[in-house]
Amino acid sequence: MVLQNMNIAYISTYPPRECGIATFNQNLVRAIAANFPERRHLLHGDFVVALTDSENIHEYEYPEEVKYIVRQNHQKDYIRAANFINTSSADVCIMEHEFGIYGGESGIYILPLLNRLEKPLISILHTILKDPGYVQRIIIREIAEQSAKIIVMSQRALDFLTTIYDIPAEKIQIIEHGVPDLEAPEENPILNLTPFKNHRVLLTFGLLSRNKGLETVVRALPEIVKHHPDVMYVILGNTHPGVIKSSGEEYRDHLKTLANQLGVSQNLSFINKFVTEEELIQYLTAAEIYVTPYLNEAQITSGTLSYAVGAGAAVVSTPYWHATELLDHNRGRIFDFKNADTLADIIIELLGHPDTLNELKENAYEYGLHLRWPVVGAEYIKVAQEASFQHDFRDKILKNSIVDPEIMPKFSLTHVMRLTDDTGIVQHAKYGIPNLKEGYCLDDNSRALIMALMAYQRNNSKEAFELLPIYLSYIHYMQTEDGNFRNFLSFNREYLDEIGSEDSFGRTIWSLGYLIGHASSNSYREFATEIFQKSFPHFKSLTHLRGMANTIIGISMYLRLHPTDEGMVNELVRLTQPLINAYENTRSEDWEWFEESMTYDNAILPLALLHSCQVTGDEKAKEIALKTMAFLDNLTLSNGYLSPVGNDGWYYRGGKFPTFDQQAIETMAMVLMHFQAYQLFRIPEHIEKMFLCYKWFLGENTLRAPLYDHETKGCCDGLLPTGINRNQGAESTLAYLISHLTVLEAFELEYEYNKFSRKLLSVK
């Protein structure tokens, strides 16, 4: 095939960000360009969409080929990047995939971008898990569906994709990891460095982190040095930036301490720098043996290993997946994980037999010739040409997404921070200013706990994480000796009631159940579990449906972590029955509801049944949930926007539907109800209704007036006949933020519900 010039858009991390994927992508860009010597400029029409791990898009001084920057945890950036690529001159798009470089759970934010691409896509998978989680499996399969071709770098990777992920083999192609197109210099300056001069060097390079297993080599040194006292183990590379942030140079210091304890500190040397490829070849060819002592088999690709083989190094490695393939046919030696004794034996043998050592180097060098980057680049060009030739962009055009993140305000905790002090969140505000005279309540601190945890899970928000102990501490402070809860606390921390309402009790159980089921910290989970279990005796005294409903949701979330807790399952069944009975005793052909009136927080009742039946499988609860949802939707969504039941008199059977006053908690409950329904039934209509309800906050409501305040980042308390209640208390602001975060969570599933929608359209 004649290589034809084409413009390529690359999606990946990119230097100067220190990241193996970034380096690979830069090499690929150059390798492809090297096959077109007639180009006057390296890139011609090519460009890079770079993923940054910083909130500041100017954090890195990117080279000119980077034309667009995506902040890892900003969902809107991915959508805008897709539009940028679609309107560019790119003929094809190449994406580097590694779970950790994209935002959301396991990097799920990349899927909406791919879903919107109108250019043919080639995806390079750097990590393919043998035992993927549910979301990880979905991500890989969806990437495969959106891609014209999947590129992997080993036979094992191909086998995993076909057997574990059910991806057709014809969609997959193996192109091995490229290596620098460089030869060792005749006079190598590295040999004059102190660690190399008069030493036989064992070398490892790459970003340092615990999973590299370098301590295995250090433990092997005493025996090696007995036979070859001139050996020096050189560790080349910086500590991984993520490790630096979390634990500094603890691992490097640990290796130094270990070497000192074993009496080989003089045989260990660190070169703490990020080297160029030219320098790397010099280091590799200056060393006697290259060692990769990784700790487990689950590494499908190792760029450092490929570089070592490409440089013609004698490699000794643990048997991770890539090593067992690349070092086959006497291109290297294998020792078992953490086995310092075997490693020592192999190195002693190789250093004592120069002919054997040189044979490994020659075999590696010969194999590495076909891994040189220009050769690899030519393979990618062939794949890109084929993908471009076969692509019909009309097959990729989707109907507009059900959820449009572009109309959503940027998530902000500004107003929540304004309302929160070291006691808790203040319940009311005068306009956007906290009204300290009204003090605090349990309901709002419970909602705030849920919101803060959702925000922390979504974007690792430091602000949200620091709020968690404040709200949890308030809940603990309001729990009575017998396990019940007070609700109200004055600004000077005086209790204002002896026992709170059943609603506040239930909302607290909901928040505790959510924390138990989702906490990233064991200490928070254990604390929440202690409070939760202490309150358990009061479950049996609940008499009001909404108190029961909120408690049901909390128990359901608790059971996600403790599904075998039979006592709690029985309590869930017991609490669900009164809702079923209430519906059956009240319903008629024109009144599919639980009570003679529809009052406040109405969607909480069917939402509770949805949670309950998800755990118990109760078909009766599911049936009632669907019927009451349909009844509620018919009343509140029939105008094409949400008009919840107003609290000015409520809505009684046979009475007049009250339009005002409309409250934010009604909207939040509707958003949560429809998202939970989608999670159970996978019907896209629930996502449509969820987003329609959310837009009530943004102005799609009876008055066509937005309740979200872009200036304060708070939410107004409700809609009145005369306009907007301008006060921005905790209840309304938290209702908005929980709804906003729920919509963002739903947006991660866009690839799925848009697919369902296309199927429905094709059937029609």
Coordinates of all heavy atoms in Angstrom, one line a residue, residues 4-53:
Q4 N -0.4 7.4 1.9 CA -0.9 8.7 1.4 C -1.0 9.7 2.6 O -1.3 9.3 3.7 CB -2.3 8.5 0.9 CG -2.4 7.6 -0.3 CD -3.8 7.3 -0.8 OE1 -4.8 7.6 -0.1 NE2 -3.9 6.8 -2.0
N5 N -0.6 10.9 2.2 CA -0.6 12.0 3.3 C -2.0 12.2 3.8 O -3.0 12.2 3.0 CB -0.1 13.3 2.6 CG 0.5 14.2 3.7 OD1 0.2 14.1 4.8 ND2 1.4 15.1 3.2
M6 N -2.2 12.4 5.1 CA -3.5 12.7 5.7 C -3.3 13.5 7.0 O -2.2 13.5 7.6 CB -4.2 11.4 6.0 CG -3.5 10.4 6.8 SD -4.5 8.9 7.2 CE -5.6 8.8 5.8
N7 N -4.3 14.2 7.4 CA -4.3 15.0 8.6 C -4.8 14.1 9.7 O -5.9 13.5 9.6 CB -5.1 16.2 8.4 CG -4.5 17.1 7.4 OD1 -3.3 17.1 7.1 ND2 -5.3 18.0 6.8
I8 N -4.2 14.1 10.9 CA -4.6 13.3 12.0 C -4.7 14.1 13.3 O -3.9 15.0 13.6 CB -3.5 12.2 12.3 CG1 -3.4 11.3 11.0 CG2 -3.9 11.3 13.5 CD1 -2.2 10.3 11.1
A9 N -5.8 13.9 14.0 CA -6.0 14.5 15.3 C -5.7 13.4 16.3 O -6.2 12.3 16.2 CB -7.5 14.9 15.5
Y10 N -4.9 13.8 17.3 CA -4.5 12.8 18.4 C -5.1 13.2 19.7 O -5.1 14.4 20.1 CB -3.0 12.8 18.5 CG -2.2 12.4 17.3 CD1 -1.9 13.3 16.3 CD2 -1.7 11.1 17.2 CE1 -1.2 13.0 15.2 CE2 -1.0 10.7 16.0 CZ -0.7 11.7 15.1 OH 0.0 11.3 14.0
I11 N -5.7 12.3 20.4 CA -6.3 12.5 21.7 C -5.4 11.8 22.8 O -5.3 10.5 22.7 CB -7.7 12.0 21.8 CG1 -8.6 12.7 20.8 CG2 -8.3 12.3 23.2 CD1 -10.0 12.1 20.7
S12 N -4.8 12.5 23.7 CA -3.9 11.8 24.6 C -3.3 12.9 25.6 O -3.5 14.1 25.4 CB -2.7 11.2 23.8 OG -1.7 10.7 24.7
T13 N -2.6 12.4 26.6 CA -1.7 13.3 27.3 C -0.6 13.6 26.4 O -0.3 12.9 25.4 CB -1.2 12.6 28.6 OG1 -0.7 11.4 28.3 CG2 -2.4 12.4 29.6
Y14 N 0.2 14.7 26.8 CA 1.3 15.1 25.9 C 2.3 15.8 26.7 O 2.0 16.5 27.7 CB 0.7 16.0 24.8 CG 1.5 16.0 23.5 CD1 1.5 14.9 22.7 CD2 2.3 17.1 23.1 CE1 2.2 14.9 21.5 CE2 3.0 17.1 21.9 CZ 3.0 16.0 21.1 OH 3.7 16.0 19.9
P15 N 3.6 15.7 26.3 CA 4.7 16.4 27.0 C 4.4 17.9 26.9 O 3.8 18.4 25.9 CB 6.0 16.0 26.3 CG 5.6 14.7 25.7 CD 4.2 14.8 25.3
P16 N 4.9 18.7 27.9 CA 5.8 18.4 28.9 C 5.2 17.7 30.1 O 6.0 17.5 31.1 CB 6.4 19.8 29.3 CG 5.2 20.7 29.1 CD 4.6 20.2 27.8
R17 N 4.0 17.3 30.1 CA 3.5 16.5 31.2 C 4.2 15.2 31.3 O 4.3 14.5 30.2 CB 2.0 16.2 31.0 CG 1.3 15.4 32.1 CD -0.1 15.2 31.9 NE -0.7 14.2 32.9 CZ -2.0 13.9 32.9 NH1 -2.8 14.4 32.0 NH2 -2.4 13.0 33.8
E18 N 4.7 14.8 32.4 CA 5.5 13.6 32.6 C 4.6 12.4 32.7 O 4.0 12.2 33.8 CB 6.5 13.7 33.8 CG 7.6 14.8 33.5 CD 8.6 14.8 34.7 OE1 8.5 14.0 35.6 OE2 9.5 15.7 34.6
C19 N 4.5 11.7 31.7 CA 3.5 10.6 31.6 C 3.9 9.6 30.5 O 4.3 10.1 29.4 CB 2.1 11.1 31.4 SG 0.8 10.0 30.9
G20 N 3.9 8.3 30.7 CA 4.4 7.4 29.7 C 3.5 7.5 28.5 O 4.0 7.4 27.3
I21 N 2.2 7.7 28.6 CA 1.3 7.8 27.5 C 1.6 9.0 26.7 O 1.6 9.0 25.5 CB -0.2 7.8 28.0 CG1 -0.5 6.6 28.8 CG2 -1.1 7.9 26.7 CD1 -0.4 5.3 28.2
A22 N 1.9 10.1 27.4 CA 2.3 11.4 26.7 C 3.5 11.2 25.8 O 3.6 11.6 24.7 CB 2.6 12.5 27.7
T23 N 4.5 10.5 26.4 CA 5.8 10.3 25.6 C 5.5 9.4 24.4 O 5.9 9.6 23.3 CB 6.8 9.6 26.5 OG1 7.1 10.4 27.6 CG2 8.1 9.3 25.7
F24 N 4.7 8.3 24.6 CA 4.3 7.4 23.5 C 3.6 8.2 22.4 O 3.9 8.1 21.2 CB 3.4 6.3 24.0 CG 2.9 5.4 22.9 CD1 3.6 4.2 22.7 CD2 1.8 5.6 22.1 CE1 3.2 3.3 21.7 CE2 1.4 4.8 21.1 CZ 2.1 3.6 20.9
N25 N 2.7 9.1 22.8 CA 1.9 9.8 21.8 C 2.8 10.8 21.0 O 2.7 10.9 19.8 CB 0.7 10.6 22.4 CG -0.3 11.0 21.4 OD1 -0.8 10.3 20.6 ND2 -0.5 12.4 21.4
Q26 N 3.7 11.4 21.7 CA 4.6 12.3 21.0 C 5.5 11.6 20.0 O 5.7 12.0 18.8 CB 5.5 13.1 22.0 CG 6.4 14.1 21.3 CD 7.2 14.9 22.3 OE1 8.0 14.3 23.1 NE2 7.1 16.2 22.4
N27 N 5.9 10.4 20.4 CA 6.7 9.6 19.5 C 5.9 9.1 18.3 O 6.4 9.0 17.2 CB 7.3 8.3 20.3 CG 8.4 8.7 21.1 OD1 9.2 9.6 20.8 ND2 8.6 8.0 22.3
L28 N 4.7 8.8 18.5 CA 3.8 8.3 17.4 C 3.6 9.5 16.4 O 3.6 9.3 15.2 CB 2.5 7.8 17.9 CG 1.5 7.3 16.9 CD1 2.1 6.2 16.1 CD2 0.2 6.9 17.6
V29 N 3.3 10.7 16.9 CA 3.1 11.9 16.1 C 4.4 12.0 15.2 O 4.3 12.2 14.0 CB 2.9 13.1 16.9 CG1 3.0 14.4 16.1 CG2 1.6 13.1 17.7
R30 N 5.6 11.9 15.8 CA 6.8 12.1 15.0 C 7.1 11.0 14.1 O 7.6 11.2 12.9 CB 8.0 12.3 16.0 CG 7.9 13.6 16.8 CD 8.9 13.7 17.9 NE 8.9 15.0 18.5 CZ 9.7 15.3 19.6 NH1 10.5 14.4 20.1 NH2 9.6 16.5 20.1
A31 N 6.7 9.8 14.5 CA 6.9 8.6 13.7 C 6.1 8.6 12.4 O 6.5 8.3 11.3 CB 6.6 7.3 14.5
I32 N 4.9 9.1 12.5 CA 4.0 9.2 11.4 C 4.5 10.3 10.4 O 4.6 10.1 9.2 CB 2.5 9.4 11.8 CG1 2.0 8.1 12.4 CG2 1.7 9.9 10.6 CD1 0.6 8.2 13.0
A33 N 4.9 11.4 11.0 CA 5.4 12.5 10.2 C 6.7 12.1 9.5 O 6.9 12.6 8.4 CB 5.6 13.7 11.1
A34 N 7.5 11.3 10.1 CA 8.8 10.8 9.5 C 8.6 10.1 8.2 O 9.5 9.9 7.4 CB 9.6 10.0 10.5
N35 N 7.4 9.5 8.0 CA 7.1 8.8 6.8 C 6.7 9.7 5.6 O 6.4 9.2 4.5 CB 6.0 7.7 7.1 CG 6.5 6.5 7.8 OD1 7.0 5.6 7.1 ND2 6.4 6.5 9.1
F36 N 6.6 11.0 5.9 CA 6.3 11.9 4.8 C 7.4 13.0 4.8 O 7.2 14.1 5.2 CB 4.9 12.6 5.1 CG 3.8 11.6 5.2 CD1 3.2 11.3 6.4 CD2 3.4 10.9 4.0 CE1 2.2 10.4 6.5 CE2 2.3 10.0 4.1 CZ 1.7 9.7 5.3
P37 N 8.5 12.7 4.2 CA 9.7 13.6 4.2 C 9.4 14.9 3.4 O 10.1 15.9 3.6 CB 10.8 12.8 3.6 CG 10.1 11.7 2.8 CD 8.9 11.4 3.6
E38 N 8.4 14.8 2.5 CA 8.1 16.0 1.7 C 7.4 17.1 2.6 O 7.4 18.3 2.1 CB 7.2 15.6 0.6 CG 5.7 15.3 0.9 CD 5.6 13.8 1.4 OE1 6.6 13.2 1.6 OE2 4.4 13.4 1.6
R39 N 7.0 16.8 3.8 CA 6.4 17.8 4.6 C 7.5 18.8 5.1 O 8.5 18.4 5.6 CB 5.7 17.2 5.9 CG 4.4 16.4 5.6 CD 3.8 16.0 6.9 NE 2.6 15.2 6.6 CZ 1.8 14.8 7.6 NH1 2.0 15.0 8.8 NH2 0.7 14.1 7.3
R40 N 7.2 20.0 4.9 CA 8.1 21.0 5.4 C 8.1 21.2 6.9 O 9.0 21.6 7.5 CB 7.9 22.4 4.7 CG 8.1 22.3 3.2 CD 7.9 23.7 2.6 NE 8.2 23.7 1.1 CZ 8.0 24.7 0.3 NH1 7.6 25.9 0.9 NH2 8.3 24.6 -1.0
H41 N 6.9 20.9 7.4 CA 6.7 21.1 8.9 C 6.4 19.7 9.5 O 5.8 18.9 8.8 CB 5.6 22.1 9.1 CG 5.4 22.4 10.6 ND1 4.7 21.7 11.5 CD2 6.0 23.5 11.3 CE1 4.7 22.3 12.7 NE2 5.5 23.3 12.6
L42 N 6.8 19.5 10.7 CA 6.6 18.2 11.4 C 5.2 17.8 11.3 O 4.9 16.6 11.0 CB 7.1 18.4 12.8 CG 6.7 17.2 13.7 CD1 7.5 15.9 13.3 CD2 7.0 17.5 15.2
L43 N 4.3 18.7 11.5 CA 2.9 18.2 11.7 C 2.0 18.5 10.5 O 1.0 17.8 10.3 CB 2.3 19.0 12.9 CG 2.9 18.5 14.2 CD1 2.5 19.5 15.3 CD2 2.5 17.1 14.5
H44 N 2.3 19.5 9.7 CA 1.4 19.8 8.5 C 0.0 20.1 9.1 O -0.1 21.1 9.8 CB 1.4 18.7 7.5 CG 0.8 19.0 6.2 ND1 1.3 20.0 5.4 CD2 -0.2 18.4 5.6 CE1 0.5 20.1 4.4 NE2 -0.4 19.1 4.4
G45 N -1.0 19.3 8.8 CA -2.3 19.5 9.3 C -2.7 18.7 10.6 O -3.8 18.7 11.0
D46 N -1.7 18.1 11.2 CA -2.0 17.3 12.4 C -2.1 18.2 13.6 O -1.5 19.2 13.6 CB -0.9 16.2 12.6 CG -0.7 15.2 11.4 OD1 -1.6 15.3 10.5 OD2 0.2 14.4 11.5
F47 N -2.8 17.7 14.6 CA -2.8 18.4 15.9 C -3.1 17.5 17.0 O -3.6 16.3 16.8 CB -3.8 19.6 15.8 CG -5.3 19.1 15.7 CD1 -6.1 18.9 16.8 CD2 -5.8 19.0 14.4 CE1 -7.4 18.5 16.6 CE2 -7.1 18.6 14.2 CZ -7.9 18.3 15.4
V48 N -2.9 17.9 18.2 CA -3.1 17.1 19.4 C -4.1 17.8 20.3 O -4.1 19.0 20.5 CB -1.8 17.0 20.2 CG1 -2.0 16.2 21.5 CG2 -0.7 16.3 19.4
V49 N -5.1 17.0 20.8 CA -6.0 17.4 21.9 C -5.4 16.8 23.2 O -5.4 15.5 23.3 CB -7.4 16.8 21.6 CG1 -8.3 17.1 22.9 CG2 -8.0 17.5 20.4
A50 N -4.9 17.6 24.0 CA -4.1 17.1 25.2 C -4.9 17.1 26.5 O -5.7 18.1 26.8 CB -2.9 18.0 25.4
L51 N -4.8 16.0 27.2 CA -5.5 15.9 28.5 C -4.6 16.4 29.6 O -3.4 16.0 29.7 CB -5.8 14.4 28.8 CG -7.1 13.8 28.3 CD1 -8.3 14.4 29.0 CD2 -7.2 13.9 26.8
T52 N -5.1 17.3 30.4 CA -4.3 17.8 31.5 C -4.9 17.4 32.8 O -6.1 17.3 32.9 CB -4.2 19.4 31.4 OG1 -3.4 19.8 32.5 CG2 -5.5 20.0 31.5
D53 N -4.0 17.2 33.8 CA -4.5 16.8 35.1 C -4.6 18.1 36.0 O -4.8 17.9 37.2 CB -3.5 15.8 35.8 CG -2.0 16.3 35.8 OD1 -1.8 17.4 35.2 OD2 -1.2 15.6 36.3

